[in-house]
Amino acid sequence: MTEVKAGDTVQIHYTGTLLDGSVFDSSQGRDPLEFKVGSGMIIPGLDTALPGMTVGDKKSVNVSCDEAYGPVKPEMQQGVPRSGIPADIPLEVGTTLQMQTPDGQAMPVVVVNVTEDEVTLDANHPLAGKDLTFDIELVAIA
């Protein structure tokens, strides 16, 4: 049987869970995820688990935050004056908003704190700082 190697285009089904067992993403009920192994298209900890697998293989992969979305970076949290945010924008903790970077890119941020004068926004990836587990099945090697 053919084994996956760097540079192969593969298709996998996966279910991603947090350490408490809650599912944060899954391909179940959708088409398999297709990508080129070693290309940086997926998180490193999952990418490096694929070489050596053959079609039909299943495995569970534990991925540390450093090999996933990285640690939480305090510098990615920023306080902004509440007066600088339009009144029609909801400012409840946990609300996801879109900001625009200086180069025009949309960037999601989450409201993490609200005071009378300031709103703290967090631009870290929602899975930053979290260790993840992926149950994967290799569906195809293109």
Side-chain angles (χ1 to χ4, degrees), residues 56-69:
D57 282 356
K58 296 179 180 182
K59 70 162 73 168
S60 185
V61 182
N62 295 315
V63 181
S64 71
C65 75
D66 290 335
E67 291 293 310
Y69 296 95

Side-chain angles (χ1 to χ4, degrees), residues 2 8 17 26 33 47 59-60 62 64 72 76 81 93 95 97 101 108 120 132:
T2 304
D8 286 343
T17 56
S26 177
L33 177 65
D47 210 5
K59 70 162 73 168
S60 185
N62 295 315
S64 71
V72 171
M76 297 291 285
V93 171
T95 301
L97 305 173
T101 64
T120 304
L132 310 174

Side-chain angles (χ1 to χ4, degrees), residues 11-117:
Q11 293 180 347
I12 64 168
H13 272 300
Y14 67 93
T15 298
T17 56
L18 302 174
L19 292 182
D20 66 4
S22 60
V23 174
F24 63 84
D25 195 13
S26 177
S27 66
Q28 299 308 314
R30 302 188 315 222
D31 289 336
L33 177 65
E34 182 174 298
F35 58 94
K36 188 174 185 177
V37 176
S39 67
M41 294 173 70
I42 64 170
I43 60 172
L46 188 53
D47 210 5
T48 59
L50 293 159
M53 291 183 73
T54 60
V55 172
D57 282 356
K58 296 179 180 182
K59 70 162 73 168
S60 185
V61 182
N62 295 315
V63 181
S64 71
C65 75
D66 290 335
E67 291 293 310
Y69 296 95
V72 171
K73 298 177 183 170
E75 66 272 17
M76 297 291 285
Q77 292 187 356
Q78 183 174 356
V80 296
R82 191 169 183 159
S83 60
I85 299 174
D88 63 331
I89 294 188
L91 294 177
E92 291 147 16
V93 171
T95 301
T96 299
L97 305 173
Q98 290 281 345
M99 292 192 67
Q100 197 166 15
T101 64
D103 64 357
Q105 296 288 323
M107 178 175 59
V109 294
V110 176
V111 176
V112 293
N113 192 38
V114 179
T115 67
E116 197 172 304
D117 300 321

